[in-house]
């Protein structure tokens, strides 16, 4: 409908004939995404200036938001949120949408091209003539985010992130004494092209670092002239830049992922992977991706020539902010992939200080119950959950609580993540035979009061841990199970004697981490009917729900930080006696949770939802679905209409 109205206007103003317009429509069938106005100009039927005049003076140019909604890339609510962010932060709507990760950079560029009847081009692999740098001033190009990409037959093609005004186009034509053909490209590709055309070097884009990194290694890494020749200044700059931003944003891991085009870099923040945002410097990543990987390998003393086998290593850095200096450890893992190598860097930031259960977000009720359980000597205490559920942090908080001058505590970890003063911590090294079981045997001859085993992985480690608990020691460890009672069935399936387990098990804590609603952008909302039905919540419950609408403080996710949801099981004598029957998990949960007043993980999660700390969507994401199914009846009663 929009195209027909535009055609009528052009015909009425005698800018094109009906035959010319119909011919352009037929040509458009070959490439439906190309605007009809652009086709008319390319076919020589219409002048670009006349087209712009008609579009602008007759309000026929679609708005960017309307185009994106029509393409089903965003909805009206997301557009409204992005417009608010654009207004508050004084940035273009397109940038606000990309910043919120609602659309990609290429989707934005294509929408802008459609809006202004311009051609979208990809600058990947384009070769640039040397004389292009003399046609346009570099400062002007950087300021307007444009770059000359071709000069043929007295026509200069200019790639733009955002269209220039007509007077600016006229100025370029006056300078170059050529006709200017504008096209639209991704802003990051334009920045890369500017580096090549004008021989510029990447800069922090006006952003001042509030952190500084300095290598803290015994050897002189990267001093070989061959290595320094191979690794460019851009690659070294980017590695430092990416690490600094990861620390500043509170990332737990940095993922360097090789792709067909180059490399994607993502941060894991609050348990969710998020694409790196480095402004204009982001465009330097793809052309330098191999050197970035080599730089990281050099920093942690890996073999930079080995690309076919996985490697694991670590390095340390000193981070300074103002006058404060602290150490940060980094664990590095590489694996070969289809397009090269992937690298994951785990950030172990030592600024956390003493870890407490309250500081981790445990409720006063659960913290008090745990502390009371820890006051009883001997036995084994287990923390369970999948990778990334906060098990190690909980154990560190427990160790900090029991760490007093009158006791000796030893730990076996893989790896040691945080150093705790007053505790002897040992890291396993399977290459030389220092496994969990071997070190655990050695520890028993060190007269410890408390032992922490990073993870029970096999029968030998489990049995030695149980016997240590039986002989007067307190043992702490972790298991990968879905819930608290599964720890018992897992150990029995592993081959642990049920009698030994019943004699030593003091408690099991199963946990997950859910993202916490951002305090800066909390608003009331109505969850989707399908989501309410998933949890058995009546539509007419009359209860209010809260979520975060997204703001700069939470990187437009609506969440900031994480808190644990848990189920704590301190077995009674009757429950311990059940172990000898080798019960399955359903039978054990029936006795431990259904027939008692203990709260399950899903019930603890709903208490967090009711308190406005997290959302239903988060519970659905992290809680085992079988618990959601089992808890629907209780949840329905909690949210029954008043």
């Amino acid at each position: 409908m929009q195209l027909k109205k535009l055609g009528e206007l052009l015909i009425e103003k005698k800018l094109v004939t009906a035959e010319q317009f119909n011919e352009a429509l037929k040509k458009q069938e070959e490439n439906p995404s190309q605007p009809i106005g652009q086709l008319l100009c390319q076919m020589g039927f219409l002048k670009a200036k006349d087209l712009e005049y008609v579009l602008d003076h007759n309000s026929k140019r679609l708005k960017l938001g309307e185009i994106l909604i029509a393409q089903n890339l965003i909805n009206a609510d997301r557009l409204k949120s992005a417009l608010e962010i654009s207004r508050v932060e004084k940035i273009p709507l397109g940038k606000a949408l990309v910043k919120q990760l609602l659309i990609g950079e290429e989707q934005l560029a294509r929408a802008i091209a459609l809006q202004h009847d311009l051609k979208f081009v990809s600058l990947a692999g384009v070769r640039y003539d040397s004389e292009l740098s003399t046609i346009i001033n570099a400062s002007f190009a950087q300021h307007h985010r444009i770059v000359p990409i071709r000069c043929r037959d007295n026509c200069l093609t200019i790639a733009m992130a955002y269209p220039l005004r007509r007077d600016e186009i006229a100025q370029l034509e006056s300078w170059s004494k050529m006709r200017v053909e504008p096209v639209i490209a991704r802003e990051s590709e334009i920045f890369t092209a500017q580096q090549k055309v004008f021989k510029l070097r990447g800069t922090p884009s006006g952003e001042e670092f509030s952190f500084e990194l300095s290598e803290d290694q015994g050897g002189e890494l990267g001093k070989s002239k061959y290595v320094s020749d191979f690794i460019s200044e851009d690659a070294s700059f980017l590695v430092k830049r990416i690490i600094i931003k990861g620390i500043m944003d509170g990332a737990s891991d940095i993922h360097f992922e090789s792709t067909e085009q180059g490399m994607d870099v993502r941060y894991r923040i609050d348990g969710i992977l998020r694409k790196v945002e480095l402004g204009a410097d982001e465009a330097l990543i793809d052309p330098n991706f191999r050197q970035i990987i080599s730089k990281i390998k050099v920093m942690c003393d890996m073999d930079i020539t080995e690309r076919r086998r996985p490697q694991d290593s670590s390095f340390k850095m000193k981070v300074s902010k103002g006058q404060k200096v602290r150490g940060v450890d980094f664990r590095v893992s590489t694996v070969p992939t289809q397009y090269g190598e992937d690298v994951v860097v785990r950030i172990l930031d030592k600024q956390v200080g003493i870890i407490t259960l309250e500081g981790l977000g445990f409720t006063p009720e659960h913290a008090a119950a745990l502390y009371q359980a820890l006051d009883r000597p001997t036995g084994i205490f287990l923390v369970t959950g999948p990778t990334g559920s906060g098990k190690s942090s909980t154990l560190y908080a427990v160790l900090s609580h029991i760490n007093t001058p009158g006791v000796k505590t030893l730990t076996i970890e893989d790896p040691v993540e945080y150093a705790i003063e007053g505790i002897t911590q040992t890291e396993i090294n399977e290459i030389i035979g220092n496994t969990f079981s071997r070190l655990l045997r050695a520890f028993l001859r060190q007269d410890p009061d408390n032992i922490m085993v990073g993870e029970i992985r096999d029968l030998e480690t489990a049995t030695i841990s149980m016997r240590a608990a039986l002989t007067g020691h307190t043992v702490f460890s972790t298991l990968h199970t879905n819930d608290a009672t599964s720890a018992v069935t897992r150990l029995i399936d592993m081959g642990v004697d049920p009698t030994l387990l019943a004699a030593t098990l003091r408690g099991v804590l199963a946990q997950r981490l859910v993202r916490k609603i951002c305090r800066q952008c909390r608003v009331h909302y109505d969850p989707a009917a399908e989501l309410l039905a998933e949890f058995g919540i009546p539509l007419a419950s009359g209860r209010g729900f809260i979520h975060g609408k997204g703001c700069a403080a939470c990187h437009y996710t609506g969440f900031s930080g994480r808190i644990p949801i848990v189920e704590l099981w301190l077995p009674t004598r009757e429950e311990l006696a059940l172990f000898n029957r080798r019960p399955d998990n359903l039978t054990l949960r029936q006795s431990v949770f259904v027939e008692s007043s203990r709260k399950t993980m899903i019930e603890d999660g709903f208490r967090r939802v009711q308190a406005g700390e997290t959302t239903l969507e988060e519970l659905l994401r992290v809680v085992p679905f079988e618990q959601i199914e089992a808890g629907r009846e209780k949840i329905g009663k909690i949210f029954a209409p008043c």
Side-chain angles (χ1 to χ4, degrees):
M1 193 59 147
Q2 181 69 38
L3 294 177
K4 183 179 179 183
K5 289 183 179 179
L6 173 61
E8 289 174 350
L9 283 168
L10 293 172
I11 294 170
E12 286 173 8
K13 295 183 179 294
K14 298 183 179 179
L15 295 173
V16 299
T17 65
E19 291 76 14
Q20 289 172 333
F21 187 76
N22 289 331
E23 188 177 341
L25 282 176
K26 289 180 181 178
K27 190 171 181 63
Q28 193 187 41
E29 293 176 0
E30 301 172 8
N31 187 4
S33 64
Q34 191 165 11
I36 189 69
Q38 183 186 114
L39 275 171
L40 287 166
C41 293
Q42 289 179 357
M43 296 171 74
F45 298 152
L46 180 66
K47 292 182 180 179
K49 292 180 180 179
D50 292 336
L51 173 63
E52 287 198 20
Y53 177 86
V54 171
L55 289 172
D56 292 337
H57 286 75
N58 293 276
S59 301
K60 295 304 175 188
R61 198 184 297 282
L62 287 174
K63 294 181 179 179
L64 181 62
E66 293 173 341
I67 293 172
L68 294 171
I69 288 176
Q71 294 176 339
N72 293 320
L73 294 175
I74 60 172
N75 55 34
D77 291 337
R78 289 181 172 179
L79 174 60
K80 184 179 178 181
S81 173
L83 285 169
E84 177 65 16
I85 291 165
S86 173
R87 183 188 65 80
V88 172
E89 299 194 13
K90 298 179 180 179
I91 59 175
L93 171 62
K95 277 203 169 185
L97 289 164
V98 172
K99 199 170 185 180
Q100 286 185 283
L101 305 181
L102 296 177
I103 61 173
E105 194 182 8
E106 182 171 329
Q107 291 171 323
L108 171 62
R110 288 185 179 276
I112 291 173
L114 182 61
Q115 180 188 23
H116 292 272
D117 284 285
L118 295 173
K119 184 180 180 181
F120 168 81
V121 298
S122 172
L123 302 185
V126 174
R127 293 185 178 182
Y128 304 96
D129 297 332
S130 57
E131 66 267 16
L132 289 173
S133 61
T134 64
I135 298 175
I136 295 179
N137 180 274
S139 298
F140 181 88
Q142 286 182 299
H143 177 72
H144 291 283
R145 286 166 288 185
I146 66 173
V147 66
I149 60 173
R150 189 181 303 108
C151 181
R152 296 285 188 278
D153 301 325
N154 204 41
C155 176
L156 179 65
T157 304
I158 302 287
M160 309 173 178
Y162 299 93
L164 296 180
R165 299 192 308 270
R166 270 176 287 182
D167 60 323
E168 292 169 333
I169 295 285
Q171 188 177 14
L172 285 174
E173 289 180 332
S174 175
W175 285 347
S176 64
K177 302 188 184 314
M178 286 184 278
R179 181 173 62 86
V180 169
E181 179 189 3
V183 296
I184 299 296
R186 293 171 54 188
E187 186 172 357
S188 61
E189 289 187 339
I190 288 174
F191 178 78
T192 301
Q194 287 175 344
Q195 314 309 304
K196 296 176 180 178
V197 171
F198 300 111
K199 310 301 182 193
L200 302 174
R201 185 186 175 277
T203 66
S205 307
E207 181 180 332
E208 293 294 331
F209 291 152
S210 57
F211 286 82
E212 288 187 5
L213 290 177
S214 59
E215 293 187 11
D216 184 23
Q217 296 280 5
E220 295 186 352
L221 298 181
K223 296 300 182 183
S224 164
K225 97 176 184 58
Y226 301 106
V227 171
S228 60
D229 287 345
F230 176 69
I231 298 175
S232 67
E233 290 185 12
D234 280 346
S236 299
F237 164 82
L238 285 168
V239 170
K240 180 178 178 180
R241 176 102 158 88
I242 291 166
I243 291 175
I244 286 173
K245 185 164 179 60
I247 296 172
M248 292 175 67
D249 289 353
S252 61
D253 303 87
I254 307 174
H255 291 242
F256 298 82
E257 300 164 332
S258 297
T259 66
E260 189 173 6
Q261 291 75 32
M263 173 182 284
D264 287 338
V265 181
R266 297 193 289 173
Y267 295 135
R268 188 174 293 281
I269 301 175
D270 293 338
I272 302 295
L273 282 174
R274 188 177 306 152
K275 197 174 185 300
V276 67
E277 292 180 11
L278 299 180
D281 293 325
E282 192 173 331
L284 294 174
I285 292 175
D286 284 351
N288 290 282
F289 80 100
R290 293 191 185 278
Q291 296 183 52
I292 289 172
I293 292 175
S294 295
K295 174 62 178 177
I296 296 171
K297 286 183 172 182
V298 168
M299 291 171 68
C300 55
D301 205 18
M302 285 183 180
D303 182 356
I304 66 170
T305 63
E306 179 56 77
R307 298 189 180 96
R308 298 171 300 170
R309 295 185 179 91
Q311 296 187 69
D312 292 286
S313 190
S314 63
F315 65 96
K316 298 181 180 180
M317 306 291 278
K318 289 181 180 178
V319 180
S320 60
K321 184 179 182 182
Q323 300 298 318
K324 296 182 179 179
V325 180
R326 69 176 189 272
V328 179
D329 288 355
F330 301 88
R331 305 287 172 178
V332 182
S333 171
T334 73
V335 294
T337 66
Q338 180 183 4
Y339 298 112
E341 287 181 283
D342 280 11
V343 178
V344 176
V345 178
R346 167 68 58 90
I347 301 175
L348 304 174
D349 195 345
K350 302 299 181 66
Q351 73 165 346
V352 292
I354 297 176
I355 302 175
T356 63
L357 292 174
E358 293 84 356
L360 292 176
F362 279 81
T363 62
E365 175 188 350
H366 283 130
L370 277 169
Y371 288 145
Q372 184 178 2
L374 295 173
D375 289 338
R376 293 181 291 173
T378 73
I380 187 166
F381 188 91
L382 299 172
V383 181
T384 74
T387 301
S389 59
K391 301 186 298 297
S392 296
S393 296
T394 298
L395 283 182
Y396 279 122
V398 168
L399 293 177
S400 297
H401 176 75
I402 64 174
N403 183 24
T404 61
V407 300
K408 181 171 184 175
T409 302
L410 304 176
T411 74
I412 313 169
E413 305 176 53
D414 180 25
V416 174
E417 295 188 7
Y418 299 105
I420 303 177
E421 188 175 353
I423 292 179
T424 302
Q425 296 173 265
T426 304
E427 192 168 294
I428 71 166
N429 187 339
E430 295 186 353
I431 295 176
I432 63 174
N434 284 347
T435 60
F436 278 116
S437 56
R438 183 174 182 179
L439 288 172
L440 187 52
R441 284 195 184 93
F443 275 13
L444 295 178
R445 297 190 289 272
Q446 293 286 312
D447 188 29
D449 298 288
N450 308 303
I451 300 173
M452 193 268 272
V453 180
E455 181 186 347
I456 294 178
R457 297 176 178 173
D458 51 56
L459 175 59
E460 187 179 13
T461 304
T463 302
I464 299 172
S465 298
M466 300 290 174
R467 295 197 182 282
L470 195 62
T471 54
H473 304 89
T474 302
V475 179
F476 304 94
S477 191
T478 68
L479 273 176
H480 289 279
T481 63
N482 275 336
D483 50 48
T485 50
S486 292
V488 171
T489 55
R490 169 75 187 281
L491 289 169
I492 292 176
D493 289 343
M494 199 181 286
V496 174
D497 185 348
T499 305
L500 182 60
L501 183 58
T504 56
L505 185 63
R506 183 196 303 180
V508 184
L509 177 76
Q511 69 177 61
R512 297 289 191 281
L513 293 177
V514 294
R515 291 183 292 172
K516 192 175 181 181
I517 297 171
C518 175
R519 292 189 172 276
Q520 305 295 322
C521 59
R522 297 161 55 91
V523 293
H524 288 275
Y525 83 117
D526 295 320
E530 296 81 3
L531 183 64
L532 294 175
E534 198 72 66
F535 291 96
I537 301 173
L539 287 174
S541 64
R543 301 295 181 93
F545 293 91
I546 293 174
H547 76 162
K549 66 177 183 179
C551 64
C554 62
H555 302 283
Y556 305 99
T557 63
F559 299 97
S560 181
R562 290 189 290 176
I563 51 176
I565 56 172
V566 305
E567 58 182 35
L568 177 62
W569 177 31
L570 304 176
T572 63
R573 291 183 179 179
E574 292 76 14
E575 290 164 349
L576 291 172
L578 292 174
F579 295 179
N580 290 324
R581 303 177 190 173
R582 297 178 178 268
D584 59 63
N585 191 48
L586 288 176
T587 303
L588 201 53
R589 286 194 71 80
Q590 178 72 23
S591 175
V592 172
F593 288 103
V594 179
E595 297 175 2
S596 72
S597 60
R598 293 189 184 95
K599 299 293 183 184
T600 62
M601 192 185 302
I602 188 64
E603 291 177 90
D604 186 45
F606 267 97
R607 287 196 294 181
R608 299 284 198 178
V609 171
Q610 287 178 292
E613 294 178 303
T614 191
T615 65
L616 294 173
E617 290 87 348
E618 273 297 282
L619 296 189
L620 190 62
R621 184 177 69 86
V622 302
V623 176
F625 189 70
E626 56 268 22
Q627 283 213 20
I628 295 175
E629 286 186 311
R632 278 180 185 150
E633 185 176 346
K634 284 187 178 180
I635 294 165
K637 291 179 181 178
I638 293 173
F639 286 89
C642 301

